């Protein structure tokens, strides 16, 4: 009996000692890294030199200036929130190693939000450089990717008015999805897709500074072959079923002024068909919109008028898609629409015969567009404001 009691006491003492020891270990962060000991990368830029070298530029946050701690010396208040530095190497990793030599803090890539690709590098091929981001565990693969029509470092150096850095500006635009929104992961998937083509949003630096996303850079294989503008990009997003923000303005027949619509939601379905050797793609689009601006005297509560406006909306959408198809099929011969995947799923045997020369087959595909638009709400007002009732059309 005494032995049993002694054993129980011994077990209790061992448990108490273990718990106390664990508590002591938990009290400190033995492997923590102080924020003042690292340089946090917010954005990275990739450019190419005439000697075929890679220029890696990074935008690094200054934690104290961004609210991460107390400022020292006389740099408080309106001090810089970030710095931009660059290094030139044979590969991205080589440039990274040389870049580290310029910093007293360890460069930390875990918060990298944006990757900017300069035009020269984009035109000469991006696959072997983007491959680094798939293999390295440090730069996040979900960083948003852009192309610029100049040098990537110029984008990183720009100081937006409303954001703390150009990295935040680009990230927020990507999240809003005003144009294409493409992460490194998305880009890698595009490059390895059946069509082997890709598209990236185009970010520009204005003549007086300031950034804007205006259009889309188109890649055939991994080389940039052209650009489509902002309006045509909307047609691209409709076909890819990625449209989220869109304003469409039409001028009703017989009217002097315009009506603007705001997109509520849209759905797109690609229907491939091969018949008698002819390849055809039907693009079915259903879109729902609200009226947000009526400059006309039309009564938008009149069902007959609404039906006419819906037909005009459908025609406007089709026109944008037709312009986009003309550029992609006939000028660039590049499929960034998902047509290749759709035919592969539906007709795997026929696809195997054309997959090696899809760039030649893609321009031959007949495309039929079936769009259906619905005007769901006329806005907060049911009749034109400031217009005498007798002048309202459709009462």
């Amino acid at each position: 009996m005494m032995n049993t009691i002694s054993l129980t006491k011994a077990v209790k003492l061992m448990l108490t000692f273990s718990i106390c020891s664990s508590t002591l270990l938990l009290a400190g962060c033995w492997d923590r890294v102080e924020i003042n000991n690292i340089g946090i990368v917010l954005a990275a830029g990739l450019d190419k030199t005439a000697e075929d070298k890679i220029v890696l530029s990074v935008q690094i946050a200054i934690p104290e200036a961004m609210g991460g701690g107390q400022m020292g010396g006389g740099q408080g208040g309106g001090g810089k929130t970030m710095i931009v530095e660059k290094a030139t190497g044979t590969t991205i990793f080589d440039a990274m190693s040389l870049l580290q030599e310029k910093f007293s803090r360890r460069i930390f890539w875990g918060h990298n939000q944006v990757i900017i690709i300069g035009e020269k590098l984009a035109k000469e091929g991006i696959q072997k450089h983007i491959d680094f981001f798939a293999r390295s565990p440090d730069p996040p693969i979900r960083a948003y990717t852009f192309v610029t029509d100049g040098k990537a470092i110029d984008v990183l150096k720009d100081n937006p008015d409303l954001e703390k850095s150009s990295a935040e500006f680009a990230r927020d635009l990507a999240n809003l999805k005003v144009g294409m929104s493409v992460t490194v992961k998305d880009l890698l998937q595009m490059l390895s897709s059946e069509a082997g083509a890709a598209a990236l949003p185009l970010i520009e630096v204005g003549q007086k500074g300031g950034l804007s996303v205006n259009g889309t850079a188109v890649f055939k294989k991994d080389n940039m072959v052209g650009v489509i503008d902002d309006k045509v990009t909307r047609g691209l997003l409709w076909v890819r079923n990625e449209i989220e923000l869109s304003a469409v303005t039409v001028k009703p027949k017989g009217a002097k002024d315009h009506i603007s619509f705001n997109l509520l939601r849209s759905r797109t379905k690609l229907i491939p068909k091969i018949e008698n050797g002819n390849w055809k793609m039907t693009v079915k689009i259903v879109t729902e919109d609200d009226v947000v601006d009526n400059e006309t005297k039309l009564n938008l509560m009149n069902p007959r008028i609404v039906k006419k406006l819906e037909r005009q909306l459908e025609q406007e959408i089709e026109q944008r898609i037709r312009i986009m198809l003309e550029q992609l099929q006939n000028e660039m011969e590049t499929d960034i629409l998902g047509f290749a995947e759709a035919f592969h799923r539906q007709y795997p045997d026929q696809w195997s015969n054309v997959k090696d020369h899809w760039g030649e087959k893609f321009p031959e595909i007949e495309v039929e567009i079936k769009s259906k638009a619905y005007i769901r709400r006329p806005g907060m007002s049911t009749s034109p404001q400031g217009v005498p009732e007798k002048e309202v059309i459709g009462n």
Side-chain angles (χ1 to χ4, degrees):
M1 185 71 174
M2 290 296 294
N3 289 338
T4 303
I5 293 173
S6 299
L7 182 60
T8 302
K9 287 183 178 180
V11 171
K12 287 182 178 179
L13 284 171
M14 290 178 66
L15 286 172
T16 302
F17 178 77
S18 298
I19 292 171
C20 291
S21 300
S22 300
T23 304
L24 289 172
L25 290 173
L26 291 172
C29 297
W30 62 272
D31 64 342
R32 79 177 175 186
V33 178
E34 295 289 348
I35 193 171
N36 290 333
N37 294 331
I38 59 175
I40 302 174
V41 176
L42 300 177
L46 302 177
D47 289 304
K48 206 165 190 180
T49 69
E51 296 77 27
D52 207 31
K53 298 281 189 177
I54 291 294
V55 180
L56 172 66
S57 50
V58 292
Q59 184 183 98
I60 294 196
I62 301 175
E64 296 89 346
M66 300 186 79
Q70 296 296 320
M71 290 293 295
Q75 200 180 4
K80 293 192 300 182
T81 60
M82 54 85 181
I83 58 173
V84 176
E85 191 55 83
K86 67 177 181 178
T88 302
T90 306
T91 65
I92 294 178
F93 187 73
D94 183 35
M96 283 177 63
S97 301
L98 296 172
L99 192 63
Q100 182 62 74
E101 296 177 2
K102 300 183 179 184
F103 286 93
S104 59
R105 301 181 180 187
R106 181 171 66 84
I107 298 176
F108 178 68
W109 289 85
H111 291 293
N112 184 39
Q113 304 165 354
V114 173
I115 295 173
I116 310 293
I117 301 173
E119 183 178 25
K120 179 176 172 59
L121 187 146
K123 287 182 175 180
E124 294 184 9
I126 62 173
Q127 190 278 328
K128 64 181 180 181
H129 306 298
I130 294 298
D131 177 79
F132 165 79
F133 295 97
R135 296 178 184 276
S136 174
D138 294 329
I141 201 169
R142 295 193 180 277
Y144 291 110
T145 312
F146 297 81
V147 169
T148 184
D149 58 353
K151 291 184 177 180
I153 193 171
D154 293 334
V155 176
L156 269 56
K157 287 181 176 179
D158 189 82
N159 294 312
D161 293 329
L162 297 178
E163 307 297 344
K164 294 180 180 179
S165 67
S166 54
E168 284 192 14
F169 180 89
R171 179 203 63 192
D172 291 346
L173 278 181
N175 286 330
L176 284 173
K177 298 189 177 180
V178 293
M180 289 204 71
S181 180
V182 182
T183 64
V184 174
K185 180 182 178 182
D186 297 331
L187 176 58
L188 290 167
Q189 289 175 338
M190 286 190 223
L191 292 174
S192 61
S193 67
E194 300 291 356
L200 290 175
L202 186 69
I203 191 166
E204 299 177 339
V205 181
Q207 293 182 349
K208 297 182 179 180
L211 299 175
S212 63
V213 171
N214 185 22
T216 302
V218 179
F219 289 77
K220 189 172 186 177
K221 299 302 181 183
D222 68 332
N223 300 93
M224 178 178 163
V225 294
V227 173
I228 58 176
D229 65 26
D230 189 60
K231 185 174 181 179
V232 177
T233 296
R234 294 292 181 270
L236 170 65
L237 294 174
W238 254 304
V239 174
R240 288 174 59 94
N241 197 31
E242 295 176 2
I243 189 80
E244 291 196 19
L245 292 175
S246 181
V248 179
T249 298
V250 300
K251 183 178 181 181
K253 294 178 182 178
K256 296 181 180 180
D257 296 305
H258 299 80
I259 298 177
S260 291
F261 301 88
N262 181 50
L263 178 71
L264 286 175
R265 61 190 68 89
S266 180
R267 300 179 300 279
T268 301
K269 185 177 182 181
L270 300 181
I271 306 173
K273 187 174 183 180
I274 301 176
E275 192 173 47
N276 299 325
N278 296 320
W279 291 49
K280 179 179 178 180
M281 180 66 73
T282 300
V283 180
K284 293 186 69 174
I285 298 173
V286 178
T287 180
E288 301 175 61
D289 301 78
D290 276 354
V291 178
V292 291
D293 191 358
N294 180 14
E295 298 179 344
T296 72
K297 296 180 180 181
L298 295 175
N299 179 5
L300 300 184
M301 296 302 292
N302 186 313
R304 180 175 55 84
I305 292 176
V306 170
K307 285 293 182 185
K308 289 183 178 180
L309 290 173
E310 289 175 341
R311 299 295 82 77
Q312 278 194 261
L313 269 175
E314 294 164 3
Q315 292 168 7
E316 176 68 21
I317 293 171
E318 181 172 348
Q319 182 185 23
R320 292 190 184 191
I321 293 175
R322 288 294 177 195
I323 295 172
M324 180 268 298
L325 288 171
E326 172 65 25
Q327 294 184 30
L328 292 184
Q329 285 190 293
N330 299 330
E331 297 176 18
M332 303 179 197
E333 298 182 348
T334 304
D335 175 16
I336 54 174
L337 304 171
F339 284 11
E341 285 77 11
F343 276 109
H344 186 194
R345 287 192 299 268
Q346 190 72 21
Y347 300 98
D349 294 336
Q350 291 92 326
W351 164 257
S352 63
N353 296 325
V354 302
K355 65 178 182 179
D356 293 331
H357 53 275
W358 181 245
E360 300 171 13
K361 187 67 178 178
F362 175 63
E364 301 175 0
I365 296 173
E366 178 188 349
V367 181
E368 181 183 12
I369 303 167
K370 293 183 177 180
S371 61
K372 188 68 177 175
Y374 296 96
I375 299 173
R376 293 306 186 193
R377 293 186 292 264
M380 297 294 289
S381 176
T382 57
S383 60
Q385 292 299 293
V387 178
E389 188 174 349
K390 63 181 180 181
E391 296 182 16
V392 176
I393 301 173
N395 273 350

